[in-house]
Amino acid sequence: MKRNRIKSLWLGIGTLALLSSCNTMDTKPFESYDEELVWGNYQTADAFVVKTYQNTVEYFCGNSAIWENRTPNGAYCDQVSGDGIDFTATETGIDSYTNHGFGRFDEQRKCNKIIEMAMKSKSFSEDEKDRLLGEGYFLRAILYFDMTRKMGRFVPITKVLGVDDKEDFKTPLTSSESESYKLIMDDINKSIDLLPETSHISRVNKYTAIAFRSRIALQAYAYTKDDSYLDIVISSANEVINSGKYSLTNDYGSMFNNVDPESSEIIMGRYYLAADARVGWFHEEIEATPNLPVDDLKAGSKDGASSFNPGQTFNGWACYFPTQDLVDQYLVIDEKTGVAVPWYESSQIRNNVDFLPTDNLSEGCIETFMRYDGGLRHIPTIIDLKSGRTDYDNVLYNMSVKPGCNRDISDLMYLNRDKRMDATIIRDKTFHCKEYMEMNMGGSASQGVRTKEDGGWYTTATGYYWRKYLVPVEPQIESAAPLDFHYVIIRLGEMYMNLAEAYLYKGMIAEAVNSLNKTRTVHGGLPESRSSSAEEAWEDYIRERRVEMAYEEADIYFSYLRWGKYGSYANEGRKGGDVIVGLNAPVHKISITSDRKKAIVNQLNLLNSWSRKFTVKRYLFPIPQGEIDKRSAAGIIDKQNKGW
């Protein structure tokens, strides 16, 4: 039933039926389509390009849930299908043979085919030729970039190989990250010179390529320490911003669902149509949606089922969840001072909530709740108390509303927050798909509302669900339901984030704070940061990027790699290239009592989720040892990445 893998789909173009390519490798340079037919006119050539998008741009969309749980923002926890937890985050499921997309020779060949055929064809106008060439260079650049950001090096095949190109089949890996990024930048710059200034939002144009150049250069700086890349980050981001073609939206969440799928902020997206697409294609839809049969809710909750649609609105397989660690990043406006502060420092919390001792807690000491079927639920559960991470406190907060206060924990914690929180996360006392979502003990969507008290059977393991990218479907979110769906590949908000980070690396604190304040005020609805020191600015920036870019492909994961490479305030005072604290620490959950007068925040321990680990070898994934061995047998000697 579960695990329908994501399928690839681009905007429908009828001429794609004319094209079908075999699974070519670098040793099989043949196509099954008629070359004259494809490249004889612009329409069929364009269709070939559109099909090539599927195999290149896919590396920058469609994996938000997967990559986010490798950061402190998210967690993967599945007791039902047997998948358990994420084995990259724990480093228990990766070794020197792990393959994060080595070679991709078929995709390289298609990009090279576009470039070569566009150059020599006499069937196209100059504008048509430039567009095809520009797209070919862009697609090859981002293909190279994805391999580089993951493995550091790749095999650069820059022409269509024929049976006589025996030496080219032995092309070595790039020698270093520096060489890799030089090749990428050469291609992206060529694409920028050739592409038109406007295009459909699903196709690359000049400004899309410039925006990607900003992203690429930021990663390149971290791994090469070539200061010239910082200037490229800044000039590229500013060129996109100053173009006037894009603007920050006042409704952040609408970009990621079907309210405003072509928002003026989106520079490039990938779009799926309900005529073809199904809920089960998308991790962010099917595996972020809980499974809440109404009969189970009636047994597990006092009034949780009363407002739910009897037809069962939620029939998903939720196993990807946001963490308390992410929730902590969303600042709250203090109701006394109007200043933006962490929730636990706000006057509404300090004046109304007692922070109780966190040691010597026992199963059910906060609350023992009896379901309607007689089963017991506990805060904390026995598993909550079993962490293997003695280097971190297991319980962070044990809270109780002060006597005489008529407010509850959820309102005190969650109201007046950064607007992006409720646009990104489903928390207690909010609505989704017209249903009232309750995360407190016995609540309609709470941990243990079904048969397992610790979050099994596709209910939350952390006290939260993802909202970002969840598209409401009527009458039921279930695998076979059709839906219009899209991913945001790159947008204007990221340009401000890239600017801020580049300025921080340059020590330009005022400029960095000014850049991060753009998204903080417009998207977050928060007062401006007034940070003036490098330490304060880095803290505000990391917080801002974590909430602004949360759950957007792999942005936060690769951001942590950059921050670790830089070190200092970007990695809690450690030297550059040291263990990344944020990727090495356990993540946390929240449990709220049925009356919402108490709550506890502790490590997520289910299925040994505490066992997150980051070693410095993971700054780059391995060159797959199997590929090294295969190429060695053909006389090609490749060097493995450090530590693998």
Side-chain angles (χ1 to χ4, degrees):
M1 104 180 173
K2 194 181 170 189
R3 302 294 181 196
N4 292 341
R5 296 296 91 187
I6 295 177
K7 302 179 182 179
S8 295
L9 172 71
W10 205 268
L11 292 173
I13 295 181
T15 47
L16 286 180
L18 296 171
L19 308 176
S20 61
S21 63
C22 61
N23 287 325
T24 55
M25 297 295 289
D26 56 338
T27 54
K28 296 180 181 178
F30 306 102
E31 290 82 20
S32 61
Y33 51 81
D34 183 89
E35 194 166 90
E36 185 176 344
L37 170 65
V38 175
W39 300 101
N41 69 76
Y42 181 73
Q43 286 71 33
T44 50
D46 188 60
F48 182 93
V49 173
V50 169
K51 189 171 184 182
T52 304
Y53 269 71
Q54 296 179 35
N55 300 317
T56 48
V57 176
E58 71 174 358
Y59 296 110
F60 298 91
C61 60
N63 297 292
S64 297
I66 292 170
W67 283 100
E68 204 73 7
N69 71 73
R70 295 164 182 173
T71 79
N73 283 5
Y76 176 76
C77 200
D78 183 356
Q79 294 188 85
V80 185
S81 69
D83 288 349
I85 58 178
D86 187 273
F87 298 126
T88 298
T90 62
E91 293 194 358
T92 57
I94 53 175
D95 58 25
S96 61
Y97 287 85
T98 300
N99 192 335
H100 275 85
F102 177 83
R104 303 180 192 174
F105 299 114
D106 185 32
E107 289 94 331
Q108 288 195 59
R109 180 176 176 78
K110 289 171 184 173
C111 295
N112 292 333
K113 175 65 75 173
I114 294 168
I115 294 167
E116 290 190 12
M117 296 307 293
M119 281 183 173
K120 73 180 185 180
S121 176
K122 298 179 180 179
S123 302
F124 312 135
S125 69
E126 286 302 310
D127 285 346
E128 290 170 341
K129 180 178 291 188
D130 284 351
R131 172 179 274 284
L132 293 173
L133 276 171
E135 288 187 288
Y137 283 122
F138 172 80
L139 294 173
R140 191 170 72 182
I142 65 172
L143 189 67
Y144 287 169
F145 174 49
D146 186 61
M147 289 189 282
T148 301
R149 68 178 180 164
K150 290 174 180 172
M151 295 168 285
R153 293 171 296 140
F154 60 91
V155 180
I157 306 297
T158 56
K159 69 176 185 178
V160 178
L161 300 183
V163 292
D164 295 327
D165 295 316
K166 293 182 171 43
E167 289 305 310
D168 289 304
F169 284 124
K170 297 183 178 181
T171 300
L173 285 161
T174 50
S175 60
S176 64
E177 293 97 301
S178 294
E179 182 186 356
S180 297
Y181 278 111
K182 183 181 184 305
L183 291 173
I184 296 164
M185 295 302 288
D186 286 347
D187 272 358
I188 204 74
N189 286 331
K190 288 175 184 175
S191 75
I192 290 167
D193 290 340
L194 293 163
L195 287 165
E197 291 196 2
T198 60
S199 66
H200 187 274
I201 197 170
S202 67
R203 300 285 291 269
V204 61
N205 60 46
K206 172 183 176 179
Y207 292 103
T208 316
I210 293 171
F212 258 92
R213 184 171 66 183
S214 173
R215 179 187 290 182
I216 292 164
L218 193 60
Q219 208 72 19
Y221 169 73
Y223 282 80
T224 67
K225 294 300 184 289
D226 182 341
D227 289 343
S228 67
Y229 281 119
L230 294 181
D231 295 325
I232 294 171
V233 175
I234 293 168
S235 63
S236 298
N238 276 323
E239 190 168 355
V240 174
I241 292 166
N242 295 332
S243 72
K245 294 181 178 296
Y246 312 97
S247 58
L248 294 178
T249 177
N250 289 313
D251 186 359
Y252 174 84
S254 67
M255 287 188 287
F256 306 101
N257 52 40
N258 53 7
V259 174
D260 194 11
E262 296 190 12
S263 164
S264 61
E265 182 165 338
I266 300 174
I267 299 171
M268 185 181 187
R270 185 175 184 178
Y271 295 82
Y272 301 78
L273 304 178
D276 302 292
R278 297 294 179 266
V279 165
W281 291 13
F282 308 104
H283 296 292
E284 294 79 7
E285 187 80 10
I286 191 65
E287 290 172 309
T289 295
N291 196 301
L292 298 173
V294 175
D295 286 346
D296 283 4
L297 302 187
K298 288 177 180 177
S301 146
K302 188 174 182 180
D303 2 77
S306 61
S307 64
F308 266 46
N309 180 350
Q312 188 181 346
T313 302
F314 304 113
N315 192 13
W317 309 323
C319 50
Y320 293 100
F321 309 105
T323 62
Q324 184 65 44
D325 307 76
L326 174 58
V327 172
D328 288 350
Q329 299 303 303
Y330 295 95
L331 296 175
V332 63
I333 298 176
D334 191 290
E335 61 187 19
K336 299 291 187 185
T337 66
V339 175
V341 296
W343 66 268
Y344 44 82
E345 294 179 5
S346 69
S347 62
Q348 49 265 50
I349 286 289
R350 292 296 181 184
N351 292 340
N352 295 290
V353 174
D354 287 323
F355 286 81
L356 305 176
T358 58
D359 54 352
N360 298 320
L361 298 176
S362 59
E363 182 183 20
C365 68
I366 308 298
E367 180 176 25
T368 296
F369 176 88
M370 181 175 288
R371 292 162 44 101
Y372 269 25
D373 63 1
L376 297 180
R377 294 293 178 263
H378 308 89
I379 300 178
T381 70
I382 193 66
I383 292 176
D384 288 338
L385 301 172
K386 292 183 176 180
S387 173
R389 292 301 294 269
T390 57
D391 52 338
Y392 286 87
D393 291 336
N394 184 30
V395 180
L396 296 185
Y397 305 112
N398 177 14
M399 301 174 288
S400 179
V401 174
K402 292 182 177 181
C405 177
N406 59 5
R407 302 165 75 175
D408 67 42
I409 283 282
S410 294
D411 288 346
L412 290 166
M413 282 186 65
Y414 300 134
L415 296 184
N416 301 315
R417 286 286 195 103
D418 183 320
K419 294 190 299 185
R420 289 167 292 192
M421 188 179 82
D422 281 349
T424 305
I425 293 168
I426 300 170
R427 46 87 176 174
D428 187 35
K429 299 177 71 174
T430 54
F431 282 88
H432 180 55
C433 293
K434 303 177 184 177
E435 304 283 27
Y436 189 50
M437 308 293 280
E438 298 175 298
M439 310 302 180
N440 62 321
M441 179 69 78
S444 58
S446 62
Q447 173 182 295
V449 74
R450 298 189 69 191
T451 59
K452 294 186 179 182
E453 80 163 346
D454 45 18
W457 293 110
Y458 308 130
T459 58
T460 180
T462 63
Y464 304 100
Y465 298 95
W466 289 110
R467 186 188 300 274
K468 198 171 184 177
Y469 278 128
L470 270 182
V471 176
V473 177
E474 294 184 355
Q476 181 186 78
I477 298 181
E478 55 90 22
S479 179
L483 81 168
D484 290 328
F485 192 88
H486 74 283
Y487 290 110
V488 176
I489 295 174
I490 198 161
R491 60 182 176 86
L492 188 63
E494 182 190 336
M495 297 300 99
Y496 287 108
M497 294 293 92
N498 294 351
L499 268 182
E501 189 167 330
Y503 284 138
L504 284 173
Y505 290 137
K506 281 178 164 284
M508 300 168 68
I509 305 304
E511 291 83 354
V513 173
N514 180 63
S515 296
L516 71 87
N517 275 333
K518 300 296 185 184
T519 51
R520 174 174 162 131
T521 55
V522 176
H523 289 161
L526 297 172
E528 290 186 345
S529 165
R530 301 295 182 187
S531 295
S532 58
S533 69
E535 183 176 9
E536 292 171 337
W538 267 107
E539 181 179 5
D540 276 355
Y541 168 68
I542 291 173
R543 181 191 302 278
E544 182 63 21
R545 188 155 198 140
R546 283 183 64 182
V547 301
E548 175 68 20
M549 302 300 295
Y551 211 53
E552 292 187 46
E553 187 54 25
D555 183 272
I556 301 303
Y557 180 83
F558 288 106
S559 293
Y560 267 103
L561 296 186
R562 292 194 307 273
W563 302 336
K565 280 286 187 181
Y566 182 72
S568 186
Y569 299 126
N571 188 23
E572 300 196 15
R574 299 195 174 196
K575 65 181 181 180
D578 203 344
V579 170
I580 299 173
V581 176
L583 302 186
N584 196 53
V587 294
H588 298 83
K589 56 173 281 191
I590 190 170
S591 301
I592 302 170
T593 59
S594 57
D595 63 2
R596 297 188 174 93
K597 292 298 183 180
K598 298 179 181 180
I600 185 173
V601 173
N602 62 277
Q603 288 181 27
L604 176 61
N605 297 328
L606 186 61
L607 304 177
N608 293 338
S609 292
W610 49 261
S611 63
R612 291 195 175 204
K613 181 180 181 181
F614 181 91
T615 53
V616 295
K617 66 182 180 182
R618 190 150 54 100
Y619 276 108
L620 291 173
F621 288 116
I623 306 298
Q625 190 61 46
E627 297 294 337
I628 291 177
D629 295 343
K630 187 190 305 181
R631 286 163 58 83
S632 177
I636 312 165
I637 306 303
D638 296 319
K639 182 181 178 182
Q640 180 58 277
N641 283 335
K642 187 176 180 180
W644 296 102

